[in-house]
Every structure is written in C-alpha cells, then in structure tokens.
C-alpha cells in the first residue's frame, strides 16, 4: 500500500509544464543521452527536509556553545589547531563548488525526480558552508593561537594548496553536467566524504576537539542524499548503452583527480597535524574507498558494463606514499604558509615507521634537518638544502615530488608553445583528454619568478598585525619567531623551474 508521504511526493511530480519560450543554450552541453524520467530514492518533501535540518543545526549550535562555556578549546592539541587553519578553508572551497555544482545540475538536467534531489543538495551545501563559518568563528574566539584562522579562504586563494583545492573541486561545477555528477556525487560524495567527515572527526576527538567532530558529523548526515543523487543519475544514464563508454572514461578521470587532491590533503591533516593518530590514513582509505565505494559500485553498476576505475592500483600506491612527500614539501616551504608547522619528534618517527615501513630512511633526516633550522638565528631554511623548488603539476597542482619524494614521476609536456609540468601518468592522461581545462591559468612559481622570498611573503599578506612577524613559523614556540628581516637575510630568490 502506498504511504501518504509517497503519495504526496508522486502527486507533486505531476505538476509540470512545458515552457512556451526557447530555453537558453546550456553553458556546458552534455555528451550523454539523458532520460526525461529518473528515480528520486528519498521521496523527500521540503517541509520534512526543513524540519530535519533545523534540528541538526540546533544540535551543532548547542555543541559549540557548550564547548565555549567549558573552555574546551584549551585542551586541543596545538598541532591540530594549525591543521584546522588549512582544513577549514579547504572544506569551504569544497562546499562552495558543490553548491555551484548542484545549481548546474538543476539548470542542466531536465528530469523532475533528479532535480528534486539536486535542490535539496544545493540547500545542504549552503548549510555546510555556514557550519564551517560558525566553526571558524568558534575557534577564533577560543583557541590560544588564532593567527591565520582569520585569513581563511582569502589566504587559501593565494597559497599553493589553494590551487590543489581549486583543481580538485572545480570539476564539480564547471563541466558537462553528467561528468559533474560523476565527479561530485559519484566519486567525491560517495568515496571521499567518509574519510573527511567520518574518519577525520575521530582524529579531531582524539586530539581534544569535540567541536570539529560535532560539526563535521552533522555535515556527513546529509551526504547520504548526495550519494543517492549520484547513484540515481548514474543509473538513469547507464540504462542507455551508448552512455557506458562515456561514463567509464569520466569515472576513470574523476577518480584519479579526486585521489590526488582529497586523499593527499586529508592524509596530511590526519597524520602530520595530529599528536594522537587513531589510525593510519591508508587503513581508512581501504575501509571507505576500496571496501565501501569500489565494492558497492561494482555490485550496483557492474551489470551495466561499468568497471572499477582504471588507475585503482596507482591510487593505492599513491596513498602509501605521496602525502608524506607533500607534508615535507609544505614544511620546506613554511614561510609561504599561513599556519605553523610543528617539527616531528621521536614519537612521531616511531609511529610513521611502524605504519609505513621504510618511511624513516627517506623522511626522518629531512624532518630532523627541518627541526635543526627552526631558529631564526640560523638564517637558513630547509628549502636551501634542496636542489630547488619543484614545479607544480598543471592538472592536480600538487608539487611534482609525488608519488614518492625520492622517486618523482614528473614529465614536461608542451602545448601551443608553452611548457607544463605533470606529476604522473594519471595527470598526463587527464591533461591530454582536454588541455583547455588546465592551461587557462599560470603557476605559483611563474607569478613570483625572480622575487625575493621576503617580498613574496609580504605580497601574500601572511604577516601578523605588527607587519614584521610571519604568520607561519617552523615551530609552535612563542619565542624565537621569524620576521620578514630574518627571511630576507636568508637571501632566497624564487626561480620558476619551468622558466629555463
């Protein structure tokens, strides 16, 4: 027997009309054949949606109020606070691009059942942006060293990792609409929001931060609908055999692309900006991405002729190693950061070697050198001990020291008279598929080629209120702080590695 909610939902779908005006041309026309009818798996009415989301917002607000009144931020590991300065604006970028992506789908896919799900998702993403903003305000008022938190998304837009976030999430909103669904709802929402919003809150709680855990778990409670949007859309297009090769190619590209950004950034935050690590990121990835996403995807869509992503083995290899390379890269470039980077100690060394055998031989000497150079009296940076700055990959924007610091797989390609660095075979494949998507912007190093490092820091705006002391520091101490004068004394000049 049909339930009242289902009956009401079905009736609302009958209120449709045909426009007498010619619709505007699609901004991103689709290569796919899109059916006019689909499946809305939740049959959610907006009055029920609003009631549910208001209650969740009340719970998060109460958790933040309780944390502030109990002064619980004083118990957060200082290293974790520094990671938050990077994690919060990255999450905001992801939610903003997802909100834009949902709007793209509403406007581009003429399917009332699917549009219902996209509309709820657009509201969800706006809510998530507000939650991230509320969380940042909470920390600004309560943590001991908020320098850099106030810069937020403005800093991320100027920082090299901001380009990684842009590269990872822009395909969600600037794409063929079905490719956008695959990038956003099928890959990012289904495979990668669980490590970010389920596993990472465990790290937050282990490091004394219950506020982060409450807010991000509330965000995750909406993601099931977004996953269902992806599966509903994918099922609709997969039922048309001519779409299958297009879907497979899009899945292969999106899975690699999200791995480069989401895996690397989440793993760096979980392991290098935590004192207490309840798990190794590799294990969280095996659980949520391989077992949950790949396993369920194969069961649901294998009968349609779709296969698991083509570069799954390469992704697994990268999960073992490349976040270690990026973490020491961030440390070596610390004056360009808007957060402090705590040197690793013997306890950290033991944990990394136990969980990633062979880590100590490559990375421990680099972290020891980083710690030894943390005093400004040395007037020397780890950056000066390395052969030079690595180029950034034109596709994923990671530094070309991946998947392994000691064995990068960089390749240089030419396109229309310009040279571009690519970090891997996966990024080279994505670049070759559509170079126009990746060549419309320059690199961080080309912007500052020939500049003194101190002038780069000033141009970025990453100095404190006194106009001299850097926001970033290579330690968490309150003394021996580096200033612009100290950076200028190192004599470092930026050289674009692709300029010669």
């Amino acid at each position: 027997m049909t339930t009242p909610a289902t009956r009401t939902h079905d009736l609302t779908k009958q209120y449709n009309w045909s426009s007498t005006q010619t619709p505007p041309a699609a901004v991103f026309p689709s290569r796919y054949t899109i059916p006019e009818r689909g499946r809305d798996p939740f049959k959610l009415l907006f009055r029920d949606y609003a009631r549910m989301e208001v209650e969740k917002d009340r719970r998060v607000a109460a958790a933040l109020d309780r944390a502030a009144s109990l002064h619980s931020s004083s118990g957060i590991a200082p290293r974790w606070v520094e990671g938050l300065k990077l994690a919060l604006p990255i999450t905001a970028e992801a939610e903003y691009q997802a909100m834009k992506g949902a709007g793209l789908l509403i406007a581009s896919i003429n399917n009332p059942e699917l549009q219902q799900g996209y509309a709820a998702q657009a509201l969800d993403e706006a809510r998530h942006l507000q939650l991230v903003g509320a969380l940042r305000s909470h920390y600004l008022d309560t943590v001991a060293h908020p320098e850099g938190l106030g810069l937020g998304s403005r800093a991320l837009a100027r920082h090299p990792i901001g380009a990684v976030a842009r590269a990872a999430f822009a395909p969600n909103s600037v794409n063929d609409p079905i490719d956008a669904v695959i990038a956003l709802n099928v890959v990012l929402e289904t495979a990668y929001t669980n490590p970010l919003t389920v596993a990472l809150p465990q790290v937050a709680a282990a490091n004394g931060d219950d506020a982060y855990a409450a807010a991000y778990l509330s965000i995750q409670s909406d993601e099931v609908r977004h996953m269902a949007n992806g599966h509903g859309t994918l099922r609709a297009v997969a039922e048309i055999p001519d779409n299958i090769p297009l879907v497979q190619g899009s899945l292969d590209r999106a899975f690699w692309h999200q791995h480069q950004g989401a895996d690397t950034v989440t793993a760096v935050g979980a392991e290098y900006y935590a004192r207490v690590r309840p798990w190794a990121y590799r294990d969280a990835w095996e659980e949520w991405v391989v077992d949950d996403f790949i396993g369920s995807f194969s069961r649901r869509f294998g009968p349609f002729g779709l296969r698991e992503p083509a570069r799954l083995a390469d992704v697994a290899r990268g999960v073992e190693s490349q976040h270690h390379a990026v973490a020491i890269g961030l440390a070596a470039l610390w004056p360009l950061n808007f957060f402090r980077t705590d040197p690793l100690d013997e306890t950290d060394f033991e944990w990394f070697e136990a969980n990633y055998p062979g880590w100590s031989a490559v990375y421990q000497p680099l972290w020891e050198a980083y710690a030894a150079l943390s005093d400004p009296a040395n007037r020397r940076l780890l950056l000066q001990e390395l052969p030079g700055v690595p180029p950034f990959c034109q596709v994923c924007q990671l530094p070309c020291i991946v998947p392994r610091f000691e064995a990068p797989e960089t390749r240089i390609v030419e396109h229309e008279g310009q040279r571009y660095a690519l970090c891997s075979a996966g990024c080279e494949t994505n670049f070759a598929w559509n170079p126009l998507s990746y060549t419309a912007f320059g690199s961080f190093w080309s912007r500052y080629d020939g500049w003194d490092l101190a002038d780069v820091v000033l141009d970025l705006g990453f100095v404190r209120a006194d106009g001299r002391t850097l926001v970033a520091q290579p330690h968490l101490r309150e003394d021996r702080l580096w200033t612009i004068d100290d950076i200028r004394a190192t004599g470092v000049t930026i050289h674009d590695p692709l300029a010669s």
Side-chain angles (χ1 to χ4, degrees), residues 208-243:
D209 188 2
D210 292 332
Y212 181 98
Y216 274 62
L217 289 172
S218 180
I219 289 173
Q220 177 60 22
S221 67
D222 294 329
E223 306 296 359
V224 175
R225 280 197 304 279
H226 308 170
M227 298 174 193
N229 286 343
H231 287 169
T233 305
L234 190 55
R235 184 178 181 88
V237 298
E239 289 176 347
I240 300 173
D242 288 348
N243 286 332

Side-chain angles (χ1 to χ4, degrees), residues 14-32:
Q14 297 177 19
Y15 289 92
N16 205 351
W17 63 89
S18 298
S19 175
T20 59
Q21 298 180 345
T22 302
V27 176
F28 302 104
S30 181
R31 301 168 296 136
Y32 297 77

Side-chain angles (χ1 to χ4, degrees), residues 145-483:
H145 295 280
E147 295 86 2
L149 267 172
L151 297 174
S153 295
R154 291 175 298 162
L156 187 70
R158 303 180 69 84
H159 188 273
I161 290 295
V164 177
R166 180 195 63 210
F169 306 129
N172 303 340
S173 61
V174 185
N175 219 332
D176 177 310
I178 299 301
D179 287 341
V181 170
I182 293 171
L184 173 58
N185 296 88
V186 176
V187 176
L188 178 60
E189 300 279 10
T190 309
Y192 283 106
T193 56
N194 282 321
L196 178 64
T197 59
V198 177
L200 206 54
Q202 296 172 0
V203 182
N207 286 271
D209 188 2
D210 292 332
Y212 181 98
Y216 274 62
L217 289 172
S218 180
I219 289 173
Q220 177 60 22
S221 67
D222 294 329
E223 306 296 359
V224 175
R225 280 197 304 279
H226 308 170
M227 298 174 193
N229 286 343
H231 287 169
T233 305
L234 190 55
R235 184 178 181 88
V237 298
E239 289 176 347
I240 300 173
D242 288 348
N243 286 332
I244 295 300
L246 300 176
V247 171
Q248 187 66 55
S250 181
L251 175 68
D252 293 345
R253 292 189 299 274
F255 186 70
W256 176 261
H257 205 64
Q258 290 300 338
H259 150 68
Q260 291 294 91
D263 273 333
T264 305
V265 171
T266 306
V268 168
E271 293 184 357
Y272 285 88
Y273 287 87
R275 269 290 176 188
V276 181
R277 307 174 184 91
W279 39 257
Y281 184 75
R282 176 201 56 242
D283 298 331
W285 181 83
E286 287 280 355
E287 176 183 357
W288 292 111
V289 178
V290 177
D291 296 344
D292 191 60
F293 171 66
I294 299 295
S296 65
F297 182 89
S298 298
R299 289 193 302 271
R300 293 185 183 193
F301 295 104
F304 293 93
L306 291 172
R307 306 178 304 278
E308 64 185 26
R311 295 190 179 276
L312 181 58
D314 287 341
V315 171
R317 184 167 61 98
V319 166
E320 287 279 352
S321 61
Q322 71 184 35
H323 64 291
H324 307 308
V326 171
I328 192 62
L330 276 174
L333 297 174
W334 73 261
L336 301 177
N337 296 337
F338 54 97
F339 46 90
R340 301 178 298 171
T341 303
D342 191 20
L344 302 186
D345 57 24
E346 290 298 329
T347 301
D348 299 313
F349 297 156
E350 291 175 6
W351 186 91
F352 278 108
E353 181 61 28
N355 285 278
Y356 298 95
W359 180 93
S360 295
V362 178
Y363 294 105
Q364 183 170 333
L366 293 169
W367 281 102
E368 289 174 339
Y370 172 78
L373 296 172
S374 65
D375 192 316
N378 294 312
R379 298 293 173 94
R380 192 153 182 85
L381 304 170
L382 178 59
L383 177 63
Q384 295 169 284
E385 307 299 323
L386 304 177
V389 296
F392 290 106
C393 175
Q394 194 68 22
V395 172
C396 69
Q397 295 294 316
L398 289 176
C400 289
I401 51 175
V402 295
R404 299 189 63 85
F405 184 89
E406 76 280 19
E409 299 177 5
T410 311
R411 61 279 326 269
I412 307 298
V413 300
E414 288 197 12
H415 177 75
E416 296 185 349
Q418 295 292 322
R419 302 170 74 234
Y420 300 99
L422 302 171
C423 69
S424 58
C427 284
E428 186 175 21
T429 297
N430 281 20
F431 183 89
W433 178 74
N434 186 7
L436 183 62
S437 296
Y438 305 109
T439 56
F441 48 88
S443 71
F444 183 88
W445 299 132
S446 65
R447 188 191 322 160
Y448 292 113
D449 186 32
W451 286 47
D452 187 285
L453 180 60
D455 292 325
V456 177
V457 175
L458 290 172
D459 188 66
L460 293 172
F462 295 169
V463 291
R464 304 187 186 190
D466 62 9
R468 296 180 61 254
T469 306
L470 272 66
V471 171
Q473 295 292 328
H475 54 70
L476 301 186
R477 302 192 305 271
E478 296 184 37
D479 62 338
R480 313 303 296 166
L481 299 181
W482 286 68
T483 68

